Amino acid sequence: MTLEQLRTFLWVARLGGVRKAAEQMNISQPAVSARITSLESDLGTALFSRGPTGVTLTKQGVLLRNHAEQIAALVERIKADVMPADSVSSLLRLGVAETVAQTWLPDFIARLHQTFPKLKIEVSVDISFNLRDMLLERSLDLTILMGPVSDFSVDNLDLPPFELSWYRPLDLADPDLSVTPVITYNRNSRPHRELTRELQERYGSTAQIFPTNSLSTGFEMVASGIGVGILPTVLGRRLVAEKRIATFDPGWQPTPLHFTATFIGEPRDELIAQAAKIAQQVAIEHDRGLQTPVPVPA
């Protein structure tokens, strides 16, 4: 019995099939099948019941899974305690929402590289809806998204919120939100859902929302006079300072965006857990920097 056999057994058990396990482990299906067959031969018992839609654990398989999970957790603790950080050479598949990508992501990548110099980082920027699916499909290791993600296998670390502000074109001094388009996050997002409900309750069916997957495009749409926007305050400050757009107050404010550093916690990977904690630390430091008043030159 080897650690690779047990690791392969756990992936097949978790994902319910040889093909999915092979994709997750980046090895061939025959290699996965061979490891399982060898493990069953060593133990002298069948671990899976094969069916048309996948595999399920036998009674002996359930017993082995309990032991294998304890062994896997112990291996992760050993790696975390014994392996020097500068010797870690794994690949971290990171998924990030655009709000974070345009703010503290560079600082996070730099801190990761400083902590794990040999770590390879692959970054995907996408909407939170897609990032969640990719995480649960195990095609991403760590996601920074509008969370939390509710799943028994997932761990969420809370991050400081992003405030949202109202923005208008410079030549639209008093926007009528019953007819003026409101530009905001994509339609599969929490801000879009909350805004839709709020606008309909306050202004009726004539209110319009123009969703966008690109925050940069959203700000440009406001600047060009297409409509007003509910967009991140931290990203709008520069355009306000450049007098390309202006803030305004319609009498109510949107709920701040809640983000989490989210990763698969079962099985737990200590490297990914450490990366999530680093993300949390960098986000907190960035938020504190935003709260610190900038000194005015005498």
Side-chain angles (χ1 to χ4, degrees), residues 110-294:
R111 187 75 58 85
L112 273 179
H113 181 66
Q114 180 183 16
T115 306
F116 305 105
K118 295 183 180 179
L119 181 66
K120 301 175 183 65
I121 305 170
E122 182 179 282
V123 180
S124 300
V125 179
D126 209 328
I127 63 175
S128 293
F129 181 84
N130 293 339
L131 294 175
R132 175 190 178 278
D133 287 346
M134 287 188 282
L135 176 71
L136 296 178
E137 291 168 358
R138 266 78 171 181
S139 58
L140 290 175
D141 301 312
L142 172 63
T143 55
I144 313 295
L145 44 60
M146 278 189 245
V149 173
S150 298
D151 188 273
F152 78 95
S153 66
V154 167
D155 285 350
N156 297 281
L157 297 186
D158 288 331
L159 304 176
F162 280 92
E163 300 290 335
L164 296 173
S165 294
W166 285 94
Y167 295 98
R168 62 171 177 83
L170 293 180
D171 59 356
L172 187 61
D174 188 21
D176 181 357
L177 296 184
S178 66
V179 294
T180 304
V182 180
I183 300 157
T184 193
Y185 283 81
N186 67 87
R187 65 178 65 257
N188 290 322
S189 67
R190 185 178 296 111
H192 186 281
R193 185 174 69 250
E194 292 179 354
L195 178 61
T196 299
R197 182 178 63 248
E198 196 72 35
L199 287 176
Q200 289 179 349
E201 290 179 355
R202 290 175 178 272
Y203 308 105
S205 59
T206 59
Q208 302 179 70
I209 298 179
F210 286 6
T212 177
N213 288 342
S214 168
L215 296 177
S216 299
T217 300
F219 279 109
E220 290 301 325
M221 290 169 69
V222 174
S224 64
I226 294 175
V228 300
I230 292 184
L231 297 163
T233 306
V234 64
L235 298 180
R237 289 172 177 170
R238 178 178 60 82
L239 294 177
V240 172
E242 294 173 355
K243 299 189 183 304
R244 296 190 59 206
I245 58 176
T247 59
F248 73 102
D249 183 3
W252 58 280
Q253 295 299 316
T255 304
L257 302 182
H258 181 70
F259 280 80
T260 58
T262 301
F263 58 98
I264 300 297
E266 180 59 44
R268 184 177 178 86
D269 185 306
E270 288 299 331
L271 170 62
I272 298 172
Q274 289 183 48
K277 290 179 181 178
I278 292 173
Q280 186 182 50
Q281 180 181 1
V282 170
I284 291 172
E285 292 173 0
H286 180 269
D287 184 64
R288 288 173 179 167
L290 293 176
Q291 306 305 324
T292 303
V294 178

Side-chain angles (χ1 to χ4, degrees), residues 78-120:
I78 291 172
K79 287 164 59 178
D81 292 342
V82 176
M83 288 183 64
D86 59 6
S87 70
V88 175
S89 58
S90 302
L91 170 66
L92 178 68
R93 300 168 301 174
L94 175 64
V96 185
E98 188 189 2
T99 308
V100 173
Q102 292 198 32
T103 51
W104 52 264
L105 177 62
D107 293 338
F108 173 43
I109 299 295
R111 187 75 58 85
L112 273 179
H113 181 66
Q114 180 183 16
T115 306
F116 305 105
K118 295 183 180 179
L119 181 66
K120 301 175 183 65

